Amino acid sequence: MNAAVDALGALPSLLAVAIAALVSAAITWTSRPLLQRYALARPNARSSHRIPIPQGAGIAVIAATLLVASAWAAWANVAIPPALIAATILIALVGFADDIVSLPVLVRLVLQAAAVGAVVFTAPETARIAPALPLALERGLILLAGVWFVNLVNFMDGLDLMTAAEVVPVTAALLLLGLLGDLSWPAALIAAALCGAVLGFAPFNKPLAKVFLGDVGSLPIGLLLGWCLLELAWHGQAAAALLLPAYYLADATITLFRRIARREQFWSAHRSHFYQRATDNAFTVPQVIREVFVLNLVLALLAIVTVRAGAIAITLLSLLAGAIAIGFVLRRFSRTQAS
């Protein structure tokens, strides 16, 4: 038992983050020539770039995450659900195929639902968020939420370093909660490895990006991140699980409903997200990323406060503070930046 605790302490966690970063950076570097030849992302209605950029570096991020997390889990005698590993590989393959040949929307959704469903419906029956609901209904709602979360992470990956500005603060907070004993170790391991892998990818994606994640990266990142947040909710910390990704949830969901209300083809490529509109309103890409990163740090702090305080009043105040902070940033992004 002591050996397992030692293998899951702060120092091994930082080492895992560093190793995942190095592995991710090495694979990204070596794969760039192939991606340049076979997987160019050409500018479209959704793009923020003006020239073709190689995409598909998500292969490096996901490979580094799974390799490091699996090796660390084996060393520490921690079980990462096999369904999660299989589902991550499946959804990465779906993303890779879509990066190359552009799959039909229905095919993508069915395969994504299969991957999310494999994770959700193989979880223990004791893993509950709302025990008052029938298990089948709760799992069905989680499935729908999971498919939406996977896609919104993909939708929000439309600006250089945007995914890093989201994933790094969220996974760092999840790792800290794991170290504090408020999150299962399998989820903490995945969070640590994913944090490192995204950090390793980030230098290649900083403005102006040399390479993009592609769907092969954003979709499985959404699945892994969503599972970690679900584990947090299953541990009785639903408020924290909501606060951590709250900016992504707000930007993507509000944008979706606005497009539906306008009777637009909401499933087609667009530039209606708040962060995209910010660049049209004279914000530079570094400004947008900086504000999103700081906002996510605030949300991560509020999430940790709700977990550690354990008081309903503190939780409600943290949720309110998070909503106000998100509203402030979204409002800024919606207005033209003063020159």
Side-chain angles (χ1 to χ4, degrees):
M1 184 67 176
N2 290 334
V5 172
D6 291 342
L8 296 169
L11 186 58
S13 299
L14 293 176
L15 182 61
V17 171
I19 293 173
L22 290 173
V23 172
S24 176
I27 298 176
T28 300
W29 176 264
T30 56
S31 64
R32 277 182 60 208
L34 285 174
L35 299 176
Q36 180 76 39
R37 180 177 300 180
Y38 298 110
L40 279 180
R42 303 188 182 281
N44 57 31
R46 175 176 175 251
S47 303
S48 297
H49 63 289
R50 297 290 176 264
I51 60 173
I53 303 291
Q55 64 181 345
I59 294 172
V61 173
I62 300 307
T65 300
L66 295 183
L67 286 172
V68 172
S70 298
W72 188 13
W75 178 48
N77 197 27
V78 171
I80 294 175
L84 177 66
I85 304 295
T88 301
I89 294 172
L90 169 61
I91 209 166
L93 291 173
V94 172
F96 182 72
D98 198 42
D99 285 336
I100 302 299
V101 297
S102 187
L103 298 175
V105 174
L106 183 59
V107 172
R108 292 202 306 265
L109 286 175
V110 169
L111 292 173
Q112 290 167 10
V116 174
V119 175
V120 172
F121 290 104
T122 57
E125 293 187 2
T126 53
R128 302 298 303 271
I129 299 175
L133 291 178
L135 179 63
L137 175 59
E138 181 181 86
R139 293 291 166 91
L141 293 174
I142 293 173
L143 172 62
L144 292 176
V147 172
W148 171 232
F149 190 80
V150 164
N151 279 282
L152 75 84
V153 171
N154 176 243
F155 297 156
M156 296 293 289
D157 182 40
L159 206 63
D160 297 346
L161 280 184
M162 175 59 77
T163 297
E166 174 74 11
V167 172
V168 171
V170 173
T171 51
L174 289 167
L175 174 57
L176 179 57
L177 290 173
L179 291 170
L180 293 172
D182 298 307
L183 179 66
S184 69
W185 271 114
L189 265 59
I190 291 290
L194 182 57
C195 182
V198 171
L199 284 171
F201 162 74
F204 301 93
N205 191 235
K206 66 181 182 180
L208 296 168
K210 298 179 179 64
V211 68
F212 294 152
L213 279 173
D215 287 4
V216 68
S218 59
L219 293 177
I221 285 174
L223 179 66
L224 291 171
L225 199 59
W227 177 76
C228 290
L229 293 167
L230 181 58
E231 277 284 310
L232 186 59
W234 277 337
H235 276 69
Q237 305 298 340
L242 183 63
L243 274 168
L244 284 170
Y247 166 66
Y248 262 30
L249 291 171
D251 192 323
T253 305
I254 292 171
T255 299
L256 174 68
F257 283 125
R258 288 174 66 172
R259 299 195 77 213
I260 291 174
R262 293 171 181 171
R263 298 184 179 181
E264 298 177 5
Q265 290 184 326
F266 59 86
W267 58 87
S268 60
H270 64 91
R271 285 185 50 80
S272 303
H273 287 287
F274 286 88
Y275 75 90
Q276 292 170 320
R277 291 160 58 194
T279 60
D280 296 333
N281 289 332
F283 283 78
T284 65
V285 172
Q287 282 178 314
V288 174
I289 297 306
R290 184 165 55 249
E291 296 207 15
V292 170
F293 184 75
V294 171
L295 173 60
N296 281 319
L297 289 178
V298 171
L299 294 173
L301 177 61
L302 290 171
I304 292 170
V305 167
T306 65
V307 173
R308 302 307 294 171
I312 295 177
I314 298 297
T315 296
L316 292 176
L317 285 174
S318 296
L319 289 169
L320 177 61
I324 292 172
I326 293 167
F328 175 77
V329 171
L330 294 184
R331 184 175 177 83
R332 274 181 54 78
F333 285 174
S334 300
R335 295 189 167 192
T336 302
Q337 176 82 332
S339 56

